Amino acid sequence: MSLDRVGIIGIGQSEFRSRRDDASYPDLVREGVSRAMADAGLELDAVQAVVYSLSPDAMLGIGNAERLGVDAVGGRNKPFLRINTGGATGISSVAAAYYHVASGMFDVVMTAGADKIGECGDSQTVLNKIWDPSYERPLPLGTINMLAMSGVRYMQQYGMTEEDMALVTVKNRQHASLNPKAHLRKVVTVDEVMESRYISWPIKLLDCCPQSSGGAAIILASETFIRDNRLDAVWITGLSHTAETYWMGDRMGVNPTAEHSGAHALGRSFEKTYRQAGITDPAKQVHVAELYAPFSNTEFHAIDAARLVSKHGESIGRLRDGEFSIGGRIPVNPSGGTLCTNAIAVTAMARVAETALQVWGRAGAHQVKGAKLGIASGNGGDHQIFGTMVIEA
Amino acid sequence: MGMRVQPGVIGCAIRPVIATGARSLEEIMYDTAQAALADAGLTTDDIDGIVVASNDQFDGRAIAVMMASGSVGGVDRDILSTPSASEHAFIMGALRVASGQFRTQLVVSWSPTEVSSMPEAQRLGADPYFHRALPLDEMSAHALQASAVERSQPDARAAAAAVAEKNRTHGRLAWPDPVLQPAAGPLRWPIMPAMTSAPVTGSVAMVLAAPDFIAERGLTDVAWLRGMGWATEPSFLGDRDLATAPALVAAARQAYAAAGITDAATAFDLVEVTDATPYAELLAYEALSLCPRAEWAARSEDGSFARGGRLPVNLSGGVLTWNPVFCTGLIRIAEVANQIRGRAGTHQAAGVRNGLAQAGSGFAMQYQSAVVFSQEARS
């Protein structure tokens, strides 16, 4: 079946910070919306439906907080629904908006959201509540020690060192220093990372993402609308999600369903997304990647899963060689990525937004020269629900 | 604009009340998903994608979709979650089939009752500065809406009482052994105990498929989706006229336009609406263009909307019979699909060819949806 393509016609992002005392939660949502509408050159009346991007309610302390954002997105008496897949929520929301348009029911759909993680107290206290209350919650698990366990296994299997992890932070901070919207923009050295305190071995403070506050929005439209209105756009040519088991113990036993050192379901999702986009050799065809990696060690298995290298673990040496830095073979997280900015509800949306800006040639100081095809990913739950996307100029 | 591919409902499992204690929540989700698949004659391997919906506060989990991986078959599958409303999971699943990129979708929602206080859990959904301190919960919001309706239509209370009695009568046929009980805790004026039912644990699942899949499998009991619409009102009650339901008017307009319906009052063989209170059902009559408010009392009392009447509404007994709070909207959609498919059980109506489901949720029905099904696929 011949389908109308779905394009991105507008992008809005806040400058992400620890606190935004000047803006209420709906104000932050509106900030992204206003910028996206201005970017698209449209008025809110043109938006026919809204997909609201919001991950755990508990981060805001308000149940179904999307209800408070209805006016901020201009959603009154319009089709409106919310998506939540944890950290993947932002890319899942873009996907949901994509299906709105691809269904043939709508020409212009917006997805938007915001988070105030920097003002929630302690996100790890909330994130402990994602696990089953009877079995894994009391360990106690958090997302940091969950991914520290992944890091330990990656070290054992592929020889990653703590210095390798530090190199990821150094690279992404260098990238973020070029991105005025990033939260952590201070350039750091390997020594500074190595000297930072342990949070959960082998993850140190500077291997961790920040708790950020800010909002984002993306406007999608049908190819027919884009052509009829002579709009500029970039195109979503592949997308999918894949989940793996909820249970951490099932990833680390004798016969794990999905080995916890890697990102099995992320790889499966990329397989489907590449197939849809007609990509057969991502290491040669992808020009830029925004891969969701909240801790330095997790960028390696994300690169492996995206098949930007030929085998698992090869990402370590390639990163040492600078292949994933701006100016390298395939820059990964030229925005600084999740490691430098994490307002959870829109973090994965920012991966899509930054990839779109790159292939559009509008990324500013962190632009990857000549990028025409990019990939984005989002991870949600306990490293469990993965969304992936291919975006092309 | 029409759907690129017309989805059909090929399987449903409605479990409006589940005795807690015997099965864990994950087992309940598994049982319900498997029952819907069995109803469709499919296995999990036939499912391309899944959409689930639940409420984190009711579930006591920060990201409730996570536990759906294993229990509803989400491992190695494309799974999304719409925690805004159970009915939104249906809409999302239908959009995915309509896009032409999925042949099948499993839609699942659940609503447990282990939470120590349902009103307290609901109160967390009120904004922390204004509404939460009132204190506002769903019953309070329903009562405020009922008051506004009574003020605009003085005979609404008599109509509401008749609606409640109608739905309880329907419920006795639909569920021969129900444990009918008024809502727990103090009610709010003018909501009377007989106008609500206590929360129960329940779940519901539906299977949607594309026409080529349905043809390939030779499936015949299909409820074809002819149109759907959904819309929201703002969250601040003070910004709303609670005596009206403009979001439902907007949702109905979308659904009817897609289905080509010009006279809703005569277009359907039956209707299911979310009667969290009978006042909500009355508002739905008007917003869905089934009956103007001036005729609410007369039509409610003359049996127009009762079994055997001009347009039966809530033959299932509605929420007034069983109230699994979060998933009542999706149950309404599944009930109409089952009626079209001839699989509604003891409350099956004869000759159902066209049906309408309305789903409402949130404080004073902030979210509104309308779904039109037909026995005939579009030509």
Side-chain angles (χ1 to χ4, degrees), chain A residues 193-249:
Chain A
V193 179
M194 294 298 289
E195 288 164 10
S196 64
R197 65 186 170 90
Y198 280 110
I199 302 297
S200 178
W201 181 81
I203 293 175
K204 304 177 198 65
L205 181 65
L206 295 187
D207 292 308
C208 295
C209 62
Q211 301 185 119
S212 310
S213 298
I218 295 180
I219 320 284
L220 288 80
S222 68
E223 185 167 18
T224 302
F225 181 88
I226 290 166
R227 290 195 171 151
D228 288 351
N229 291 278
R230 299 169 186 264
L231 299 176
D232 196 11
V234 291
W235 307 94
I236 297 171
T237 57
L239 76 166
S240 78
H241 282 72
T242 305
E244 60 185 54
T245 176
Y246 176 34
W247 301 96
M248 299 301 300

Short mmCIF file of all heavy atoms in Angstrom, two decimals, chain A residues 193-249:
data_model
loop_
_atom_site.label_atom_id
_atom_site.label_comp_id
_atom_site.label_asym_id
_atom_site.label_seq_id
_atom_site.Cartn_x
_atom_site.Cartn_y
_atom_site.Cartn_z
N VAL A 193 36.07 13.14 35.89
CA VAL A 193 35.04 12.09 36.00
C VAL A 193 35.52 11.01 36.97
O VAL A 193 34.78 10.58 37.86
CB VAL A 193 34.72 11.47 34.62
CG1 VAL A 193 33.67 10.37 34.78
CG2 VAL A 193 34.25 12.53 33.64
N MET A 194 36.77 10.59 36.81
CA MET A 194 37.30 9.51 37.64
C MET A 194 37.37 9.91 39.11
O MET A 194 37.27 9.05 40.00
CB MET A 194 38.69 9.10 37.15
CG MET A 194 38.71 8.47 35.77
SD MET A 194 37.78 6.92 35.67
CE MET A 194 38.85 5.84 36.62
N GLU A 195 37.53 11.20 39.35
CA GLU A 195 37.64 11.66 40.75
C GLU A 195 36.29 11.94 41.37
O GLU A 195 36.20 12.20 42.58
CB GLU A 195 38.50 12.92 40.80
CG GLU A 195 39.98 12.63 40.56
CD GLU A 195 40.78 13.87 40.23
OE1 GLU A 195 40.23 14.99 40.36
OE2 GLU A 195 41.94 13.72 39.79
N SER A 196 35.21 11.90 40.57
CA SER A 196 33.89 12.16 41.15
C SER A 196 33.45 10.94 41.98
O SER A 196 33.92 9.83 41.77
CB SER A 196 32.87 12.49 40.07
OG SER A 196 32.67 11.39 39.19
N ARG A 197 32.58 11.17 42.94
CA ARG A 197 32.25 10.10 43.90
C ARG A 197 31.39 9.02 43.26
O ARG A 197 30.62 9.28 42.34
CB ARG A 197 31.54 10.70 45.12
CG ARG A 197 30.19 11.30 44.85
CD ARG A 197 29.64 11.99 46.09
NE ARG A 197 28.46 12.77 45.79
CZ ARG A 197 27.22 12.29 45.85
NH1 ARG A 197 26.99 11.03 46.18
NH2 ARG A 197 26.19 13.06 45.56
N TYR A 198 31.55 7.83 43.80
CA TYR A 198 30.73 6.71 43.32
C TYR A 198 29.27 6.91 43.78
O TYR A 198 29.01 7.28 44.93
CB TYR A 198 31.23 5.38 43.87
CG TYR A 198 32.41 4.84 43.10
CD1 TYR A 198 33.68 4.82 43.68
CD2 TYR A 198 32.26 4.36 41.81
CE1 TYR A 198 34.78 4.33 42.97
CE2 TYR A 198 33.34 3.88 41.09
CZ TYR A 198 34.60 3.87 41.67
OH TYR A 198 35.68 3.39 40.95
N ILE A 199 28.37 6.64 42.85
CA ILE A 199 26.94 6.61 43.19
C ILE A 199 26.53 5.14 43.35
O ILE A 199 25.88 4.76 44.32
CB ILE A 199 26.10 7.28 42.08
CG1 ILE A 199 26.56 8.72 41.89
CG2 ILE A 199 24.62 7.22 42.42
CD1 ILE A 199 26.39 9.64 43.08
N SER A 200 26.91 4.31 42.38
CA SER A 200 26.68 2.88 42.45
C SER A 200 27.72 2.27 41.51
O SER A 200 27.59 2.39 40.29
CB SER A 200 25.26 2.52 42.02
OG SER A 200 25.08 1.12 42.05
N TRP A 201 28.75 1.67 42.08
CA TRP A 201 29.88 1.19 41.28
C TRP A 201 29.41 0.36 40.09
O TRP A 201 28.55 -0.48 40.26
CB TRP A 201 30.80 0.32 42.15
CG TRP A 201 31.99 -0.18 41.39
CD1 TRP A 201 33.13 0.49 41.11
CD2 TRP A 201 32.12 -1.47 40.77
NE1 TRP A 201 33.97 -0.29 40.35
CE2 TRP A 201 33.38 -1.50 40.12
CE3 TRP A 201 31.29 -2.60 40.69
CZ2 TRP A 201 33.82 -2.63 39.42
CZ3 TRP A 201 31.74 -3.72 39.98
CH2 TRP A 201 33.00 -3.72 39.36
N PRO A 202 29.94 0.62 38.90
CA PRO A 202 31.03 1.53 38.53
C PRO A 202 30.58 2.94 38.13
O PRO A 202 31.35 3.68 37.54
CB PRO A 202 31.63 0.82 37.32
CG PRO A 202 30.44 0.18 36.65
CD PRO A 202 29.52 -0.24 37.76
N ILE A 203 29.32 3.27 38.39
CA ILE A 203 28.80 4.58 37.97
C ILE A 203 29.16 5.64 39.02
O ILE A 203 28.83 5.48 40.20
CB ILE A 203 27.28 4.51 37.75
CG1 ILE A 203 26.97 3.62 36.55
CG2 ILE A 203 26.70 5.91 37.56
CD1 ILE A 203 25.48 3.38 36.31
N LYS A 204 29.81 6.70 38.56
CA LYS A 204 30.16 7.82 39.43
C LYS A 204 29.24 9.01 39.14
O LYS A 204 28.49 8.98 38.15
CB LYS A 204 31.62 8.23 39.21
CG LYS A 204 32.61 7.10 39.41
CD LYS A 204 34.02 7.59 39.09
CE LYS A 204 34.94 6.43 38.85
NZ LYS A 204 34.54 5.67 37.62
N LEU A 205 29.35 10.02 39.95
CA LEU A 205 28.47 11.18 39.80
C LEU A 205 28.50 11.73 38.37
O LEU A 205 27.45 12.01 37.78
CB LEU A 205 28.87 12.28 40.79
CG LEU A 205 28.00 13.53 40.73
CD1 LEU A 205 26.56 13.24 41.14
CD2 LEU A 205 28.58 14.63 41.64
N LEU A 206 29.70 11.87 37.81
CA LEU A 206 29.78 12.47 36.47
C LEU A 206 29.48 11.47 35.35
O LEU A 206 29.52 11.83 34.17
CB LEU A 206 31.15 13.13 36.26
CG LEU A 206 31.43 14.33 37.17
CD1 LEU A 206 32.74 15.02 36.79
CD2 LEU A 206 30.29 15.34 37.16
N ASP A 207 29.18 10.24 35.71
CA ASP A 207 28.65 9.28 34.72
C ASP A 207 27.13 9.35 34.66
O ASP A 207 26.52 8.60 33.89
CB ASP A 207 29.03 7.85 35.10
CG ASP A 207 30.52 7.57 34.98
OD1 ASP A 207 31.06 7.86 33.91
OD2 ASP A 207 31.11 7.08 35.95
N CYS A 208 26.53 10.20 35.49
CA CYS A 208 25.06 10.23 35.62
C CYS A 208 24.45 11.42 34.90
O CYS A 208 25.04 12.51 34.86
CB CYS A 208 24.65 10.35 37.08
SG CYS A 208 25.09 8.94 38.10
N CYS A 209 23.23 11.23 34.42
CA CYS A 209 22.45 12.33 33.87
C CYS A 209 22.00 13.24 35.00
O CYS A 209 21.95 12.82 36.16
CB CYS A 209 21.23 11.79 33.12
SG CYS A 209 20.10 10.86 34.18
N PRO A 210 21.66 14.48 34.69
CA PRO A 210 21.09 15.38 35.70
C PRO A 210 19.58 15.17 35.85
O PRO A 210 18.97 14.41 35.08
CB PRO A 210 21.38 16.76 35.13
CG PRO A 210 21.28 16.55 33.64
CD PRO A 210 21.82 15.16 33.39
N GLN A 211 19.01 15.83 36.83
CA GLN A 211 17.55 15.91 36.97
C GLN A 211 17.14 17.28 36.42
O GLN A 211 17.44 18.30 37.03
CB GLN A 211 17.14 15.76 38.43
CG GLN A 211 17.60 14.45 39.05
CD GLN A 211 17.10 14.27 40.48
OE1 GLN A 211 16.37 13.34 40.77
NE2 GLN A 211 17.47 15.17 41.37
N SER A 212 16.47 17.28 35.28
CA SER A 212 16.25 18.53 34.55
C SER A 212 14.77 18.94 34.53
O SER A 212 13.88 18.10 34.68
CB SER A 212 16.72 18.38 33.09
OG SER A 212 18.02 17.86 33.03
N SER A 213 14.57 20.23 34.33
CA SER A 213 13.23 20.77 34.16
C SER A 213 13.16 21.49 32.81
O SER A 213 14.08 22.24 32.47
CB SER A 213 12.90 21.76 35.28
OG SER A 213 12.91 21.10 36.53
N GLY A 214 12.07 21.26 32.10
CA GLY A 214 11.90 21.91 30.81
C GLY A 214 10.80 21.24 30.02
O GLY A 214 10.25 20.21 30.44
N GLY A 215 10.47 21.82 28.88
CA GLY A 215 9.39 21.29 28.05
C GLY A 215 9.80 21.17 26.60
O GLY A 215 10.83 21.70 26.18
N ALA A 216 8.99 20.44 25.84
CA ALA A 216 9.27 20.27 24.41
C ALA A 216 7.98 19.96 23.66
O ALA A 216 7.00 19.49 24.26
CB ALA A 216 10.28 19.14 24.18
N ALA A 217 7.99 20.24 22.38
CA ALA A 217 6.85 19.92 21.52
C ALA A 217 7.33 19.70 20.10
O ALA A 217 8.34 20.28 19.68
CB ALA A 217 5.82 21.05 21.55
N ILE A 218 6.64 18.85 19.39
CA ILE A 218 6.93 18.59 17.98
C ILE A 218 5.60 18.56 17.23
O ILE A 218 4.62 17.99 17.70
CB ILE A 218 7.67 17.24 17.79
CG1 ILE A 218 9.06 17.30 18.46
CG2 ILE A 218 7.82 16.89 16.31
CD1 ILE A 218 9.87 16.01 18.34
N ILE A 219 5.59 19.20 16.05
CA ILE A 219 4.39 19.20 15.20
C ILE A 219 4.64 18.28 14.01
O ILE A 219 5.65 18.41 13.32
CB ILE A 219 4.08 20.61 14.64
CG1 ILE A 219 4.33 21.70 15.67
CG2 ILE A 219 2.68 20.66 14.05
CD1 ILE A 219 3.34 21.86 16.72
N LEU A 220 3.71 17.37 13.78
CA LEU A 220 3.79 16.45 12.65
C LEU A 220 2.67 16.76 11.67
O LEU A 220 1.59 17.23 12.08
CB LEU A 220 3.66 14.99 13.11
CG LEU A 220 4.86 14.40 13.86
CD1 LEU A 220 4.86 14.84 15.31
CD2 LEU A 220 4.85 12.88 13.80
N ALA A 221 2.91 16.45 10.41
CA ALA A 221 1.87 16.72 9.41
C ALA A 221 1.95 15.70 8.28
O ALA A 221 3.00 15.06 8.06
CB ALA A 221 2.02 18.14 8.85
N SER A 222 0.86 15.58 7.58
CA SER A 222 0.81 14.66 6.44
C SER A 222 1.57 15.27 5.26
O SER A 222 1.69 16.50 5.13
CB SER A 222 -0.64 14.40 6.04
OG SER A 222 -1.22 15.58 5.51
N GLU A 223 2.04 14.39 4.40
CA GLU A 223 2.79 14.85 3.22
C GLU A 223 1.91 15.75 2.34
O GLU A 223 2.36 16.77 1.81
CB GLU A 223 3.28 13.64 2.42
CG GLU A 223 4.16 14.01 1.25
CD GLU A 223 4.87 12.81 0.67
OE1 GLU A 223 4.45 11.67 0.93
OE2 GLU A 223 5.86 13.00 -0.05
N THR A 224 0.64 15.40 2.26
CA THR A 224 -0.28 16.20 1.44
C THR A 224 -0.39 17.62 1.99
O THR A 224 -0.30 18.62 1.24
CB THR A 224 -1.67 15.55 1.43
OG1 THR A 224 -1.55 14.23 0.92
CG2 THR A 224 -2.65 16.35 0.59
N PHE A 225 -0.56 17.73 3.32
CA PHE A 225 -0.67 19.06 3.94
C PHE A 225 0.61 19.85 3.73
O PHE A 225 0.58 21.05 3.43
CB PHE A 225 -0.97 18.88 5.44
CG PHE A 225 -1.13 20.18 6.18
CD1 PHE A 225 -2.36 20.80 6.27
CD2 PHE A 225 -0.04 20.80 6.79
CE1 PHE A 225 -2.52 22.01 6.95
CE2 PHE A 225 -0.18 22.00 7.47
CZ PHE A 225 -1.42 22.61 7.55
N ILE A 226 1.73 19.17 3.91
CA ILE A 226 3.03 19.85 3.79
C ILE A 226 3.21 20.38 2.36
O ILE A 226 3.62 21.53 2.16
CB ILE A 226 4.17 18.87 4.17
CG1 ILE A 226 4.12 18.60 5.69
CG2 ILE A 226 5.53 19.42 3.76
CD1 ILE A 226 4.95 17.42 6.15
N ARG A 227 2.86 19.57 1.40
CA ARG A 227 3.02 20.02 0.01
C ARG A 227 2.01 21.11 -0.35
O ARG A 227 2.36 22.11 -0.97
CB ARG A 227 2.88 18.83 -0.93
CG ARG A 227 4.08 17.91 -0.81
CD ARG A 227 4.19 16.93 -1.94
NE ARG A 227 5.47 16.23 -1.85
CZ ARG A 227 5.68 15.01 -2.29
NH1 ARG A 227 4.71 14.34 -2.86
NH2 ARG A 227 6.87 14.46 -2.17
N ASP A 228 0.76 20.92 0.08
CA ASP A 228 -0.27 21.91 -0.25
C ASP A 228 0.04 23.27 0.35
O ASP A 228 -0.34 24.30 -0.21
CB ASP A 228 -1.64 21.43 0.24
CG ASP A 228 -2.18 20.28 -0.59
OD1 ASP A 228 -1.58 19.98 -1.64
OD2 ASP A 228 -3.20 19.68 -0.19
N ASN A 229 0.70 23.26 1.50
CA ASN A 229 0.99 24.52 2.18
C ASN A 229 2.44 24.96 2.01
O ASN A 229 2.89 25.90 2.67
CB ASN A 229 0.65 24.40 3.67
CG ASN A 229 -0.85 24.30 3.89
OD1 ASN A 229 -1.55 25.30 3.91
ND2 ASN A 229 -1.35 23.07 4.01
N ARG A 230 3.15 24.24 1.14
CA ARG A 230 4.54 24.59 0.81
C ARG A 230 5.40 24.76 2.06
O ARG A 230 6.13 25.73 2.23
CB ARG A 230 4.59 25.87 -0.03
CG ARG A 230 3.86 25.75 -1.36
CD ARG A 230 3.69 27.10 -2.04
NE ARG A 230 2.88 26.97 -3.23
CZ ARG A 230 3.36 26.84 -4.46
NH1 ARG A 230 4.65 26.82 -4.66
NH2 ARG A 230 2.55 26.73 -5.49
N LEU A 231 5.28 23.78 2.96
CA LEU A 231 6.03 23.83 4.21
C LEU A 231 7.34 23.07 4.08
O LEU A 231 7.46 22.16 3.25
CB LEU A 231 5.20 23.23 5.35
CG LEU A 231 3.88 23.93 5.66
CD1 LEU A 231 3.12 23.17 6.74
CD2 LEU A 231 4.13 25.38 6.11
N ASP A 232 8.28 23.44 4.91
CA ASP A 232 9.54 22.71 4.98
C ASP A 232 9.37 21.57 5.99
O ASP A 232 8.67 21.74 7.01
CB ASP A 232 10.65 23.67 5.43
CG ASP A 232 12.02 23.11 5.17
OD1 ASP A 232 12.13 22.09 4.45
OD2 ASP A 232 13.00 23.68 5.69
N ALA A 233 9.98 20.43 5.74
CA ALA A 233 9.80 19.29 6.65
C ALA A 233 10.96 18.33 6.54
O ALA A 233 11.70 18.33 5.57
CB ALA A 233 8.49 18.55 6.30
N VAL A 234 11.12 17.52 7.59
CA VAL A 234 11.93 16.31 7.50
C VAL A 234 10.99 15.14 7.78
O VAL A 234 9.90 15.33 8.32
CB VAL A 234 13.11 16.33 8.50
CG1 VAL A 234 14.11 17.39 8.09
CG2 VAL A 234 12.63 16.55 9.93
N TRP A 235 11.40 13.92 7.41
CA TRP A 235 10.45 12.83 7.32
C TRP A 235 10.78 11.67 8.25
O TRP A 235 11.94 11.26 8.33
CB TRP A 235 10.39 12.32 5.87
CG TRP A 235 10.11 13.44 4.91
CD1 TRP A 235 11.04 14.17 4.22
CD2 TRP A 235 8.84 14.01 4.60
NE1 TRP A 235 10.42 15.14 3.47
CE2 TRP A 235 9.06 15.06 3.69
CE3 TRP A 235 7.54 13.71 4.99
CZ2 TRP A 235 8.03 15.83 3.18
CZ3 TRP A 235 6.50 14.47 4.48
CH2 TRP A 235 6.75 15.52 3.58
N ILE A 236 9.76 11.15 8.90
CA ILE A 236 9.92 9.93 9.71
C ILE A 236 9.73 8.75 8.76
O ILE A 236 8.62 8.53 8.25
CB ILE A 236 8.90 9.89 10.85
CG1 ILE A 236 9.12 11.06 11.81
CG2 ILE A 236 9.00 8.56 11.61
CD1 ILE A 236 8.04 11.22 12.86
N THR A 237 10.80 8.03 8.51
CA THR A 237 10.73 6.95 7.52
C THR A 237 10.75 5.56 8.15
O THR A 237 10.57 4.56 7.45
CB THR A 237 11.88 7.07 6.50
OG1 THR A 237 13.12 7.06 7.22
CG2 THR A 237 11.76 8.34 5.70
N GLY A 238 10.95 5.49 9.45
CA GLY A 238 10.90 4.20 10.13
C GLY A 238 10.66 4.42 11.61
O GLY A 238 11.16 5.40 12.17
N LEU A 239 9.85 3.56 12.22
CA LEU A 239 9.62 3.68 13.67
C LEU A 239 9.06 2.37 14.21
O LEU A 239 8.37 1.64 13.50
CB LEU A 239 8.66 4.83 14.00
CG LEU A 239 7.16 4.65 13.75
CD1 LEU A 239 6.38 5.76 14.45
CD2 LEU A 239 6.81 4.65 12.28
N SER A 240 9.39 2.09 15.44
CA SER A 240 8.79 0.94 16.11
C SER A 240 9.15 0.96 17.59
O SER A 240 9.97 1.77 18.03
CB SER A 240 9.26 -0.38 15.49
OG SER A 240 10.56 -0.69 15.94
N HIS A 241 8.50 0.09 18.32
CA HIS A 241 8.82 -0.14 19.73
C HIS A 241 9.01 -1.63 19.95
O HIS A 241 8.42 -2.45 19.24
CB HIS A 241 7.68 0.33 20.64
CG HIS A 241 7.63 1.81 20.85
ND1 HIS A 241 7.25 2.69 19.87
CD2 HIS A 241 7.92 2.56 21.93
CE1 HIS A 241 7.31 3.92 20.33
NE2 HIS A 241 7.72 3.88 21.59
N THR A 242 9.79 -1.97 20.94
CA THR A 242 9.90 -3.36 21.38
C THR A 242 10.16 -3.36 22.88
O THR A 242 10.91 -2.53 23.39
CB THR A 242 11.05 -4.10 20.67
OG1 THR A 242 10.87 -3.99 19.26
CG2 THR A 242 11.06 -5.57 21.05
N ALA A 243 9.50 -4.31 23.56
CA ALA A 243 9.68 -4.41 25.01
C ALA A 243 10.38 -5.72 25.36
O ALA A 243 10.39 -6.67 24.58
CB ALA A 243 8.32 -4.35 25.71
N GLU A 244 10.96 -5.74 26.54
CA GLU A 244 11.48 -7.00 27.05
C GLU A 244 10.92 -7.23 28.45
O GLU A 244 10.04 -6.51 28.91
CB GLU A 244 13.00 -7.07 27.00
CG GLU A 244 13.73 -6.03 27.78
CD GLU A 244 15.26 -6.14 27.55
OE1 GLU A 244 15.70 -6.12 26.39
OE2 GLU A 244 15.97 -6.25 28.55
N THR A 245 11.40 -8.26 29.11
CA THR A 245 10.81 -8.67 30.38
C THR A 245 10.87 -7.56 31.44
O THR A 245 11.81 -6.77 31.47
CB THR A 245 11.49 -9.94 30.93
OG1 THR A 245 10.95 -10.23 32.21
CG2 THR A 245 12.99 -9.73 31.10
N TYR A 246 9.87 -7.56 32.29
CA TYR A 246 9.79 -6.64 33.42
C TYR A 246 10.79 -7.02 34.49
O TYR A 246 11.29 -6.17 35.22
CB TYR A 246 8.36 -6.71 33.94
CG TYR A 246 7.99 -5.93 35.18
CD1 TYR A 246 8.57 -4.69 35.47
CD2 TYR A 246 7.01 -6.40 36.04
CE1 TYR A 246 8.17 -3.97 36.59
CE2 TYR A 246 6.61 -5.69 37.16
CZ TYR A 246 7.20 -4.49 37.44
OH TYR A 246 6.81 -3.77 38.53
N TRP A 247 11.10 -8.30 34.57
CA TRP A 247 11.81 -8.81 35.73
C TRP A 247 13.31 -8.76 35.54
O TRP A 247 13.86 -9.39 34.65
CB TRP A 247 11.35 -10.25 36.02
CG TRP A 247 9.88 -10.31 36.27
CD1 TRP A 247 8.90 -10.62 35.38
CD2 TRP A 247 9.22 -10.02 37.50
NE1 TRP A 247 7.67 -10.53 35.98
CE2 TRP A 247 7.84 -10.17 37.28
CE3 TRP A 247 9.67 -9.64 38.77
CZ2 TRP A 247 6.89 -9.95 38.28
CZ3 TRP A 247 8.73 -9.43 39.76
CH2 TRP A 247 7.36 -9.58 39.51
N MET A 248 13.98 -8.01 36.42
CA MET A 248 15.43 -7.89 36.34
C MET A 248 16.11 -9.25 36.48
O MET A 248 17.12 -9.54 35.83
CB MET A 248 15.93 -6.96 37.44
CG MET A 248 15.38 -5.55 37.37
SD MET A 248 15.79 -4.72 35.83
CE MET A 248 17.55 -4.76 35.93
N GLY A 249 15.55 -10.07 37.35
CA GLY A 249 16.16 -11.37 37.59
C GLY A 249 16.17 -12.26 36.36
O GLY A 249 17.03 -13.13 36.22
#
